[in-house]
Amino acid sequence: MAFQDQVSANFDQLTVAQQDLARRALELGERMAFMTSRQLAEAVGQSDAAIIRFAKALGYDGFPEMRDAVRARLLDEVGSSGMRQSETSDISAFQQALVTSGTSLIEETERLNAHGKISAVVDLLISARQIFVTGHGTTYPMAVYLAMHLRQSLDKAQVFNIEHGDLADRFRSVGPQDVFIGIGYPRYLPYTTDILKLAREAGATVVAITDRGSSPLARIAQHTLYVARASSASAWWSQLGTMFIADWLNALVLARDETTITHLRRSDEEWKRLGHWKNDSNNAREPSLEQHRLRGLRNGNGKGPNSSSATAPRHPRK
């Protein structure tokens, strides 16, 4: 059902404030199709929470589904070519939809995870003997991304997947002092869940990065971080939320563990020994890994090596 029809069908059941919000949202017309929940809240003079309650009062699961209904009606009326022609900027409607969807994914992922929950996982990572990350299918690149950055920061992370062909041998080194991170979304692949089950049986602390509490990964894990997933046709495959969680974890590890500076300094030294910094395409004035980390602390990514704050990396609002 189109957004306008959904409003009409449920208008009498809305509160007075929600009825006023509905009128103002309808006045925005097609502009609402490319707004984040925060932008809509500012446009109608309401809070983010009020927008979410409004969407649910209309029968939607949340703001993204309500916005998708507005987009669907717009496509029906003018078609994708008409949407592009109606743009006043040089960004196409499709590109704008991607930007809006990506911004929304990051904002909603931040809201899904209490700062204390993120902080607890960071403490586990810092104190762990080893960190293993598993992910298969479309989440495999995310497992590599997270493991690579944690290895750079903490020097004890690696990908643990079926592709190595030696799972039985590798599980010999998994124990109670280790942290095992699994990443998975529908359709949940059994490779990831089977590995997490065995890791927990081996005594490792299991952390899931997934989309919902009913996920098979969440049922295995002692700690779960939730990632918002895109429902729009333009970005249903997006992994921006997963990358945001990975960046959030790594940023806090860098800010709170003073040993990371030693690891980064050693990496800088090895890059120099390899001779890569002498390549013509590299600028000698480019900051080293150690300098990047120190700049991050000065710019507010953490209050210092021993900071207990758990602040998400700031992303520019679109």
Side-chain angles (χ1 to χ4, degrees), residues 225-302:
L225 302 178
Y226 293 104
V227 171
R229 302 288 288 168
S231 58
S232 64
S234 60
W236 58 268
W237 37 261
S238 176
Q239 291 284 354
L240 275 176
T242 313
M243 295 185 74
F244 174 70
I245 287 288
D247 288 350
W248 194 352
L249 291 173
N250 195 56
L252 287 174
V253 164
L254 287 167
R256 293 168 56 178
D257 185 1
E258 59 187 5
T259 67
T260 59
I261 198 151
T262 301
H263 302 313
L264 296 180
R265 185 182 299 125
R266 286 288 307 276
S267 292
D268 287 332
E269 291 169 356
E270 294 305 321
W271 280 118
K272 290 177 182 178
R273 276 169 29 87
L274 287 166
H276 289 277
W277 281 8
K278 297 179 181 178
N279 189 292
D280 290 341
S281 61
N282 288 323
N283 188 334
R285 293 188 297 274
E286 177 68 21
S288 66
L289 296 173
E290 179 183 356
Q291 289 168 335
H292 275 301
R293 191 261 192 182
L294 293 173
R295 286 183 179 184
L297 293 178
R298 287 197 298 270
N299 292 336
N301 290 341

Side-chain angles (χ1 to χ4, degrees), residues 1-4 6 29-37 40 55 58 60-77 83 96-98 100-102 104-105 108 229-236:
M1 186 181 293
F3 174 69
Q4 291 88 335
Q6 199 81 356
E30 65 184 47
R31 285 179 291 168
M32 185 176 155
F34 304 106
M35 287 182 168
T36 65
S37 60
L40 177 59
L58 292 180
Y60 299 109
D61 289 338
F63 173 76
E65 187 180 5
M66 181 175 72
R67 183 182 57 205
D68 287 345
V70 178
R71 290 178 182 172
R73 177 63 177 267
L74 184 57
L75 280 170
D76 288 341
E77 291 178 349
M83 288 173 69
Q96 184 61 50
L98 283 175
T100 303
S101 177
S104 179
L105 283 177
E108 289 171 32
R229 302 288 288 168
S231 58
S232 64
S234 60
W236 58 268

Side-chain angles (χ1 to χ4, degrees), residues 39 52 61 64 108 122 135 141 153 160 208 278 284 298 303 314:
Q39 288 169 336
I52 295 170
D61 289 338
E108 289 171 32
V122 170
S153 302
F160 193 110
K278 297 179 181 178
R298 287 197 298 270
K303 294 179 181 177
R314 294 293 93 192

Side-chain angles (χ1 to χ4, degrees), residues 36-285:
T36 65
S37 60
R38 184 163 300 177
Q39 288 169 336
L40 177 59
E42 292 173 353
V44 300
Q46 297 277 1
S47 66
D48 284 9
I51 297 298
I52 295 170
R53 288 194 297 269
F54 172 63
K56 292 183 175 180
L58 292 180
Y60 299 109
D61 289 338
F63 173 76
E65 187 180 5
M66 181 175 72
R67 183 182 57 205
D68 287 345
V70 178
R71 290 178 182 172
R73 177 63 177 267
L74 184 57
L75 280 170
D76 288 341
E77 291 178 349
V78 301
S80 59
S81 61
M83 288 173 69
R84 286 194 293 272
Q85 292 169 3
S86 67
E87 288 292 307
T88 57
S89 70
D90 59 353
I91 298 180
S92 71
F94 184 72
Q95 289 170 322
Q96 184 61 50
L98 283 175
V99 171
T100 303
S101 177
T103 303
S104 179
L105 283 177
I106 291 172
E107 292 177 348
E108 289 171 32
T109 297
E110 181 181 357
R111 281 196 290 268
L112 285 171
N113 296 282
H115 287 185
K117 183 190 299 185
I118 292 286
S119 182
V121 173
V122 170
D123 287 341
L124 287 172
L125 297 177
I126 292 172
S127 62
R129 180 186 62 166
Q130 299 179 100
I131 301 167
F132 301 100
V133 187
T134 186
H136 298 81
T138 56
T139 60
Y140 170 69
M142 299 297 99
V144 174
Y145 180 82
L146 177 57
M148 181 189 74
H149 285 290
L150 290 177
R151 181 168 62 249
Q152 188 178 69
S153 302
L154 293 170
D155 199 30
K156 55 183 177 181
Q158 59 182 289
V159 174
F160 193 110
N161 272 18
I162 61 169
E163 65 188 25
H164 295 282
D166 59 349
L167 287 184
D169 300 330
R170 298 188 74 201
F171 266 116
R172 293 192 309 232
S173 66
V174 178
Q177 295 175 291
D178 302 327
V179 173
F180 220 107
I181 303 173
I183 307 173
Y185 310 104
R187 304 170 177 170
Y188 307 101
L189 295 180
Y191 318 120
T192 302
T193 53
D194 288 347
I195 286 175
L196 291 185
K197 287 177 185 176
L198 290 175
R200 181 151 184 179
E201 289 174 7
T205 300
V206 174
V207 176
I209 298 176
T210 189
D211 62 325
R212 63 192 72 169
S214 60
S215 159
L217 284 76
R219 292 199 295 268
I220 298 168
Q222 291 105 317
H223 302 265
T224 301
L225 302 178
Y226 293 104
V227 171
R229 302 288 288 168
S231 58
S232 64
S234 60
W236 58 268
W237 37 261
S238 176
Q239 291 284 354
L240 275 176
T242 313
M243 295 185 74
F244 174 70
I245 287 288
D247 288 350
W248 194 352
L249 291 173
N250 195 56
L252 287 174
V253 164
L254 287 167
R256 293 168 56 178
D257 185 1
E258 59 187 5
T259 67
T260 59
I261 198 151
T262 301
H263 302 313
L264 296 180
R265 185 182 299 125
R266 286 288 307 276
S267 292
D268 287 332
E269 291 169 356
E270 294 305 321
W271 280 118
K272 290 177 182 178
R273 276 169 29 87
L274 287 166
H276 289 277
W277 281 8
K278 297 179 181 178
N279 189 292
D280 290 341
S281 61
N282 288 323
N283 188 334
R285 293 188 297 274

